[in-house]
Amino acid sequence: MSDIIFICFDVAFIVLVLAFVKTSQKVKIENDSKNALLFTVMFLVVGVMSYFQYEGILKYVQPIALCLGGILYYFVKSGIAEEGIVMSGMLKTWDKIGKVTMNLADNSISFQWKKRTIKLFFKKEQMKLVREMLENNHKKK
């Protein structure tokens, strides 16, 4: 019975990561995120290690799900989309974000999300495009 529960969690995990990949395809200006490779490697390592942890069907399902999830996570983007800001595959729409502040000193934008300040960093050459996207969004309001 516990194997079925873990398999259901694995399927839900893969569906969730696939949804993140689909949402992240909306990104027009990708931010300068360096953690995708790190998370992918972590998932692959845990997936390989889990092969030696489990017995029965989980010995095969768990590593495949973790490795597939890690590979898919590599394609999850963060950045600015027409509809709002995408962070790790999750869309925060413009109407829920509110005010977005640009900081040219460190090539970033920041906004409030659930009482926290979120900051996204971009490459210096992207900042002109970022400004244009933010201005276009402001005109739509």
Side-chain angles (χ1 to χ4, degrees), residues 91-106:
L91 177 66
K92 277 75 166 129
T93 57
W94 293 120
D95 60 330
K96 293 182 180 172
I97 290 172
K99 182 181 175 185
V100 179
T101 306
M102 283 186 69
N103 185 344
L104 296 176
D106 65 357

Side-chain angles (χ1 to χ4, degrees), residues 20 23-24 27 31 73 76-81 84-92 97 109 111 113 116-120:
F20 289 167
T23 301
S24 66
V27 171
N31 80 314
Y73 191 81
V76 173
K77 299 178 200 170
S78 295
I80 301 176
I85 295 177
V86 177
M87 293 177 38
S88 298
M90 296 176 62
L91 177 66
K92 277 75 166 129
I97 290 172
I109 61 170
F111 61 94
W113 184 258
R116 290 188 300 157
T117 300
I118 305 291
K119 206 167 191 180
L120 291 177

Side-chain angles (χ1 to χ4, degrees), residues 32-100:
D32 196 16
S33 176
K34 297 173 179 75
N35 61 0
L37 183 60
L38 175 67
F39 279 112
T40 298
V41 169
M42 285 177 20
F43 275 112
L44 292 173
V45 168
V46 172
V48 169
M49 288 173 41
S50 71
Y51 177 78
F52 301 103
Q53 291 290 105
Y54 296 104
E55 297 293 323
I57 192 164
L58 274 183
K59 181 175 182 140
Y60 305 102
V61 173
Q62 194 74 29
I64 290 170
L66 289 169
C67 291
L68 181 61
I71 292 167
L72 287 172
Y73 191 81
Y74 184 76
F75 297 102
V76 173
K77 299 178 200 170
S78 295
I80 301 176
E82 294 289 333
E83 298 91 349
I85 295 177
V86 177
M87 293 177 38
S88 298
M90 296 176 62
L91 177 66
K92 277 75 166 129
T93 57
W94 293 120
D95 60 330
K96 293 182 180 172
I97 290 172
K99 182 181 175 185
V100 179

Side-chain angles (χ1 to χ4, degrees), residues 12-22 43 68-70 72-73 76:
F13 170 68
I14 295 300
V15 169
L16 183 66
V17 175
L18 282 171
F20 289 167
V21 171
K22 184 178 179 186
F43 275 112
L68 181 61
L72 287 172
Y73 191 81
V76 173

